[in-house]
Amino acid sequence: MEDLNSVTVGPLKRRVRQRRRIREIIKTKLQRNLSCSGPKVKRTLTGFFPVVKWLPKYKIKEYICGDLMSGLIVGIILIPQAIAYCLLAGLDPIYGLYTSFFANIIYFFMGTSRHVSVGIFSLMSLMVGQVVDREVYLAGFDLNEDSTRNAFGLNGTGETNTSVVNLKITALNMECGKECYAISIATALTLLAGVYQVLMAVLRLGFVSVYLSAPMLDGFATGASCTILTVQAKYLLGLKIPRHQGYGTVVVTWINIFKNIHKTNFCDLITSAICIIVLVTGKEIQDRYKDRLKIPLPTELVVVAVATIVSHFADLNGQFSSSISGAIPTGFIPPKVPSIELMPRVAFDAIPLAVISFAFTVSLSEMFAKKNGYTVRPNQEMIAIGFCNIIPSFFHSFTTSAALAKTMVKDSTGCQTQVSSIVSALVVLLVLLFFAPFFYALQKCVLACIIIVSLRGALHKFSDVPKQWRESKIEAIVWLVTMSSTALISVELGLLIGVVFSMICVVVQTQNPKVSLLGQIERTSDYEDMEEYDNLSPIPKVKIFRFQAPIFYANKDFFLKSLYKATDLEPFLEITRRRKLEKKAREKAVKKTDSVDQTNGDVSVSLISKDLDFHTIILDCSCVSIIDTTGVSTFKAVLKDYKEVGINVILACCNTTIIDSLRRGSFFGAGDKDMERLSFHTIQSAVCFATGTTQLVNDSPV
């Protein structure tokens, strides 16, 4: 019987993969995508409208109660929020109801999530409102909510501002007043955002969302919440201050508030204080007893109803000049194509709206799908939210997104399918058809209170900063930078700064990764970091170096410096040192020879070498995921430089991607002749090769 000690593992052989020609790939894809058949039409239809697939399988007895309950509760929550968030968007309340109605209907047909609630969202409303107010201001309208006078003096006062004549003409051609022009801007913006989202889905650009990290999104939402709080603060005090245009909205608005604090409307102030106390108390009771309460408390609806009744019978608007919502018409305004003339003005503004809208929708869909044990299709979610913006834009609606708070309500109240969205839409429809006029006397400060109290969750993130700092300082810094830039500069720039800064942090981490020298764990063939673990044995005459990052053009210098420091040997300096010593030795030998013999005989002096404590360096590539051409050149230079000082360099644990890159860069020589000598599958096999020992099948040394 053959001795086991003589058994060795033969080299692994790579499978030969046949690469298809580009022409063949294109031809196959065209045939697959352009062909038409009955099954393919059905598959396309069910893919585009998932409701066709799941609705026939709807289990009425099991699902209907949960869907009715959750849909009714979300619909009740939607009504005050839809009216309130129009303050953020700078639009009349009726448009918030339209948005909530149409978004729920469309997502029912096209969404793949069973629990997501799509509709009006505070962050989207804020971003829409900033664009609307900017364009309304440039068109010459007075930004005071209680005024419809045009700043051009169209009603006989003032002179036309020549810098905005074109916008004046546009507004006149549309036969628009302030409110009409505002919703025209919002619908044009919404249509473009929806088109961008559908294009991203068609072009498979959903990967853009991977650059929106969780700390960045949290920081962005918190910074935007600070902006929302600031924008709504004037309503709490009853101050009539136009929204600031440009950067630094938070700072400038608070300065203006304190400048006008003497104009506070005490009726609005007292109403705001009472409403906030009631709303916060209701939220706290809901949070504390959420396990006992089967349904959420309709605190917002109660506050709106009571405040409207009090305002109507006490005539708070007439007696104390309190700002009210005004007339809200019933029914639907005839559909209208969004203004093509306005689209160039808002084309750039629609990009962050589209990205944030689909990012929140996709992330919430995947989160609740995972929680409830089913899957969603992110690409279809992008298409769904895109059409939730495209189609409603023709019906005087503005940008929508999935909303976390309402989605959590749906999930906690027994929602099973998107039938609940139809129920919510029917609740909103009842208000649109019958009850909208009853909200005429509702004070704007009450709506502001609802918005501000809804920000509790986002503002609570401030208390999580110390914990986040302990867990990950880099993520905490990303959160702080994104939050600060969003709150102090602008929402759009805050998003851009957050994305860029988080990517810079990733690059910095790859440029300065952890490096280590490895030692062997006693009585095993495993190796670990000698700085992190005790009882590790270094391999005599061998240095094992691990670099925990990809190797590319941005960090190749750090790789070299780390390697030189870890091995305490920089080949170039060592060669230079040896040459200087050799030169001195030659000069000394020549002088000695001249003193003994005057002949010009040759003097032979060997290269003076340093007594090195190792003869081999093993580069552990297990943490190197990719390597570019600069990295390959760096490996070749390391191999050559260390060879000149008598040190062998070999690789271990290279994945196939690294091997292929090295082969293309001729690292293993012509025809890969040196591959078996330079690359090993495990550190143990590399160590055995370097030390000249035999290796068992299980890689343990003999």
Side-chain angles (χ1 to χ4, degrees), residues 598-628:
Q598 297 297 322
T599 61
N600 293 327
D602 293 334
V603 178
S604 178
V605 180
S606 60
L607 187 68
I608 299 175
S609 62
K610 179 182 177 181
D611 186 17
L612 301 175
D613 60 349
F614 65 97
H615 56 68
T616 302
I617 296 175
I618 299 175
L619 299 180
D620 175 17
C621 299
S622 59
C623 298
V624 180
S625 56
I626 58 173
I627 184 171
D628 66 356

Short mmCIF file of all heavy atoms in Angstrom, two decimals, residues 598-628:
data_model
loop_
_atom_site.label_atom_id
_atom_site.label_comp_id
_atom_site.label_asym_id
_atom_site.label_seq_id
_atom_site.Cartn_x
_atom_site.Cartn_y
_atom_site.Cartn_z
N GLN A 598 52.89 47.93 -7.91
CA GLN A 598 52.62 49.07 -8.76
C GLN A 598 51.98 48.67 -10.08
O GLN A 598 51.66 49.53 -10.89
CB GLN A 598 53.94 49.82 -9.06
CG GLN A 598 54.58 50.40 -7.81
CD GLN A 598 53.71 51.44 -7.15
OE1 GLN A 598 53.05 52.20 -7.84
NE2 GLN A 598 53.68 51.46 -5.83
N THR A 599 51.73 47.40 -10.31
CA THR A 599 51.11 46.94 -11.56
C THR A 599 49.63 47.29 -11.56
O THR A 599 49.00 47.44 -10.52
CB THR A 599 51.25 45.42 -11.72
OG1 THR A 599 50.59 44.79 -10.64
CG2 THR A 599 52.70 45.01 -11.78
N ASN A 600 49.02 47.40 -12.82
CA ASN A 600 47.60 47.73 -12.97
C ASN A 600 46.76 46.48 -13.17
O ASN A 600 46.01 46.36 -14.11
CB ASN A 600 47.39 48.68 -14.15
CG ASN A 600 48.02 50.04 -13.91
OD1 ASN A 600 48.07 50.50 -12.79
ND2 ASN A 600 48.51 50.65 -14.98
N GLY A 601 46.85 45.56 -12.27
CA GLY A 601 46.07 44.33 -12.37
C GLY A 601 44.60 44.57 -12.03
O GLY A 601 44.26 45.53 -11.35
N ASP A 602 43.69 43.70 -12.52
CA ASP A 602 42.24 43.81 -12.23
C ASP A 602 41.97 43.46 -10.77
O ASP A 602 42.57 42.56 -10.21
CB ASP A 602 41.43 42.86 -13.13
CG ASP A 602 41.52 43.29 -14.57
OD1 ASP A 602 41.74 44.49 -14.82
OD2 ASP A 602 41.35 42.41 -15.46
N VAL A 603 41.04 44.18 -10.27
CA VAL A 603 40.62 43.94 -8.89
C VAL A 603 39.20 43.40 -8.91
O VAL A 603 38.31 44.00 -9.47
CB VAL A 603 40.69 45.24 -8.06
CG1 VAL A 603 40.21 44.98 -6.64
CG2 VAL A 603 42.09 45.81 -8.08
N SER A 604 38.95 42.28 -8.30
CA SER A 604 37.62 41.67 -8.26
C SER A 604 37.07 41.74 -6.84
O SER A 604 37.65 41.19 -5.92
CB SER A 604 37.70 40.20 -8.71
OG SER A 604 36.44 39.60 -8.61
N VAL A 605 35.95 42.47 -6.74
CA VAL A 605 35.30 42.62 -5.44
C VAL A 605 33.85 42.17 -5.58
O VAL A 605 33.12 42.66 -6.44
CB VAL A 605 35.36 44.09 -4.97
CG1 VAL A 605 34.67 44.24 -3.61
CG2 VAL A 605 36.78 44.58 -4.92
N SER A 606 33.46 41.24 -4.75
CA SER A 606 32.07 40.74 -4.82
C SER A 606 31.12 41.74 -4.18
O SER A 606 31.51 42.52 -3.32
CB SER A 606 31.96 39.39 -4.11
OG SER A 606 32.33 39.55 -2.76
N LEU A 607 29.84 41.70 -4.63
CA LEU A 607 28.80 42.58 -4.10
C LEU A 607 28.59 42.28 -2.62
O LEU A 607 28.36 41.14 -2.23
CB LEU A 607 27.49 42.39 -4.86
CG LEU A 607 26.36 43.36 -4.53
CD1 LEU A 607 26.71 44.76 -5.01
CD2 LEU A 607 25.06 42.90 -5.16
N ILE A 608 28.71 43.31 -1.83
CA ILE A 608 28.55 43.15 -0.38
C ILE A 608 27.07 43.05 -0.06
O ILE A 608 26.29 43.95 -0.37
CB ILE A 608 29.19 44.33 0.36
CG1 ILE A 608 30.68 44.41 0.05
CG2 ILE A 608 28.94 44.22 1.86
CD1 ILE A 608 31.36 45.60 0.65
N SER A 609 26.67 41.98 0.53
CA SER A 609 25.25 41.75 0.81
C SER A 609 24.96 41.86 2.30
O SER A 609 25.81 41.58 3.13
CB SER A 609 24.82 40.37 0.31
OG SER A 609 25.54 39.37 0.99
N LYS A 610 23.72 42.30 2.54
CA LYS A 610 23.26 42.38 3.93
C LYS A 610 22.78 41.01 4.37
O LYS A 610 22.19 40.27 3.60
CB LYS A 610 22.11 43.39 4.00
CG LYS A 610 21.51 43.56 5.37
CD LYS A 610 20.35 44.54 5.31
CE LYS A 610 19.69 44.68 6.66
NZ LYS A 610 18.55 45.62 6.60
N ASP A 611 23.03 40.69 5.60
CA ASP A 611 22.60 39.40 6.13
C ASP A 611 21.10 39.49 6.43
O ASP A 611 20.69 39.95 7.50
CB ASP A 611 23.39 39.07 7.39
CG ASP A 611 23.07 37.66 7.88
OD1 ASP A 611 22.51 36.88 7.08
OD2 ASP A 611 23.36 37.36 9.05
N LEU A 612 20.25 39.09 5.46
CA LEU A 612 18.80 39.18 5.60
C LEU A 612 18.28 38.00 6.40
O LEU A 612 18.81 36.89 6.32
CB LEU A 612 18.15 39.21 4.22
CG LEU A 612 18.58 40.38 3.31
CD1 LEU A 612 17.96 40.23 1.93
CD2 LEU A 612 18.18 41.71 3.93
N ASP A 613 17.17 38.26 7.14
CA ASP A 613 16.61 37.20 7.98
C ASP A 613 15.49 36.43 7.28
O ASP A 613 14.78 35.66 7.90
CB ASP A 613 16.09 37.79 9.30
CG ASP A 613 14.99 38.83 9.06
OD1 ASP A 613 14.80 39.23 7.89
OD2 ASP A 613 14.34 39.24 10.04
N PHE A 614 15.32 36.65 5.99
CA PHE A 614 14.32 35.89 5.23
C PHE A 614 14.77 35.81 3.77
O PHE A 614 15.56 36.62 3.30
CB PHE A 614 12.94 36.54 5.34
CG PHE A 614 12.84 37.91 4.72
CD1 PHE A 614 12.34 38.08 3.44
CD2 PHE A 614 13.26 39.05 5.42
CE1 PHE A 614 12.26 39.34 2.86
CE2 PHE A 614 13.18 40.30 4.85
CZ PHE A 614 12.68 40.46 3.57
N HIS A 615 14.22 34.82 3.07
CA HIS A 615 14.57 34.64 1.67
C HIS A 615 13.35 34.62 0.75
O HIS A 615 13.48 34.60 -0.47
CB HIS A 615 15.37 33.35 1.47
CG HIS A 615 14.68 32.12 1.98
ND1 HIS A 615 13.55 31.59 1.43
CD2 HIS A 615 14.99 31.32 3.05
CE1 HIS A 615 13.17 30.52 2.09
NE2 HIS A 615 14.02 30.32 3.10
N THR A 616 12.13 34.63 1.34
CA THR A 616 10.90 34.55 0.54
C THR A 616 9.82 35.44 1.13
O THR A 616 9.65 35.49 2.35
CB THR A 616 10.38 33.10 0.46
OG1 THR A 616 11.40 32.26 -0.09
CG2 THR A 616 9.14 33.02 -0.43
N ILE A 617 9.09 36.11 0.24
CA ILE A 617 7.90 36.88 0.63
C ILE A 617 6.70 36.22 -0.04
O ILE A 617 6.68 36.02 -1.25
CB ILE A 617 8.00 38.35 0.19
CG1 ILE A 617 9.15 39.06 0.89
CG2 ILE A 617 6.68 39.08 0.47
CD1 ILE A 617 9.38 40.48 0.42
N ILE A 618 5.69 35.89 0.79
CA ILE A 618 4.44 35.35 0.26
C ILE A 618 3.38 36.45 0.34
O ILE A 618 3.09 36.95 1.42
CB ILE A 618 3.98 34.11 1.05
CG1 ILE A 618 5.03 33.00 0.96
CG2 ILE A 618 2.63 33.61 0.54
CD1 ILE A 618 4.72 31.79 1.82
N LEU A 619 2.83 36.83 -0.80
CA LEU A 619 1.77 37.83 -0.84
C LEU A 619 0.42 37.11 -0.77
O LEU A 619 0.02 36.42 -1.71
CB LEU A 619 1.86 38.66 -2.13
CG LEU A 619 3.15 39.47 -2.33
CD1 LEU A 619 3.08 40.24 -3.65
CD2 LEU A 619 3.40 40.42 -1.17
N ASP A 620 -0.25 37.27 0.37
CA ASP A 620 -1.58 36.67 0.54
C ASP A 620 -2.61 37.54 -0.18
O ASP A 620 -2.91 38.65 0.25
CB ASP A 620 -1.91 36.57 2.03
CG ASP A 620 -3.32 36.05 2.28
OD1 ASP A 620 -3.91 35.47 1.35
OD2 ASP A 620 -3.82 36.23 3.41
N CYS A 621 -3.17 37.04 -1.27
CA CYS A 621 -4.11 37.81 -2.10
C CYS A 621 -5.56 37.44 -1.83
O CYS A 621 -6.44 37.72 -2.65
CB CYS A 621 -3.79 37.61 -3.58
SG CYS A 621 -2.14 38.15 -4.05
N SER A 622 -5.82 36.80 -0.70
CA SER A 622 -7.19 36.36 -0.42
C SER A 622 -8.16 37.52 -0.26
O SER A 622 -9.36 37.37 -0.48
CB SER A 622 -7.21 35.50 0.84
OG SER A 622 -6.71 36.22 1.96
N CYS A 623 -7.65 38.71 0.14
CA CYS A 623 -8.51 39.88 0.32
C CYS A 623 -8.45 40.84 -0.87
O CYS A 623 -9.04 41.93 -0.82
CB CYS A 623 -8.12 40.63 1.59
SG CYS A 623 -8.31 39.68 3.09
N VAL A 624 -7.73 40.46 -1.90
CA VAL A 624 -7.62 41.31 -3.09
C VAL A 624 -8.67 40.85 -4.09
O VAL A 624 -8.55 39.77 -4.68
CB VAL A 624 -6.20 41.22 -3.71
CG1 VAL A 624 -6.11 42.11 -4.94
CG2 VAL A 624 -5.15 41.60 -2.68
N SER A 625 -9.72 41.65 -4.27
CA SER A 625 -10.82 41.24 -5.15
C SER A 625 -10.54 41.55 -6.61
O SER A 625 -10.90 40.77 -7.50
CB SER A 625 -12.12 41.94 -4.73
OG SER A 625 -11.94 43.35 -4.72
N ILE A 626 -9.90 42.68 -6.88
CA ILE A 626 -9.57 43.05 -8.26
C ILE A 626 -8.17 43.65 -8.30
O ILE A 626 -7.65 44.12 -7.28
CB ILE A 626 -10.58 44.06 -8.85
CG1 ILE A 626 -10.63 45.32 -7.97
CG2 ILE A 626 -11.95 43.44 -9.03
CD1 ILE A 626 -11.47 46.44 -8.57
N ILE A 627 -7.61 43.66 -9.50
CA ILE A 627 -6.32 44.29 -9.72
C ILE A 627 -6.31 44.85 -11.13
O ILE A 627 -6.72 44.17 -12.08
CB ILE A 627 -5.17 43.27 -9.50
CG1 ILE A 627 -3.80 43.96 -9.63
CG2 ILE A 627 -5.27 42.09 -10.44
CD1 ILE A 627 -2.64 43.08 -9.21
N ASP A 628 -5.91 46.09 -11.27
CA ASP A 628 -5.89 46.70 -12.60
C ASP A 628 -4.49 46.59 -13.20
O ASP A 628 -3.59 45.96 -12.62
CB ASP A 628 -6.37 48.15 -12.55
CG ASP A 628 -5.41 49.05 -11.75
OD1 ASP A 628 -4.42 48.53 -11.18
OD2 ASP A 628 -5.66 50.27 -11.72
#
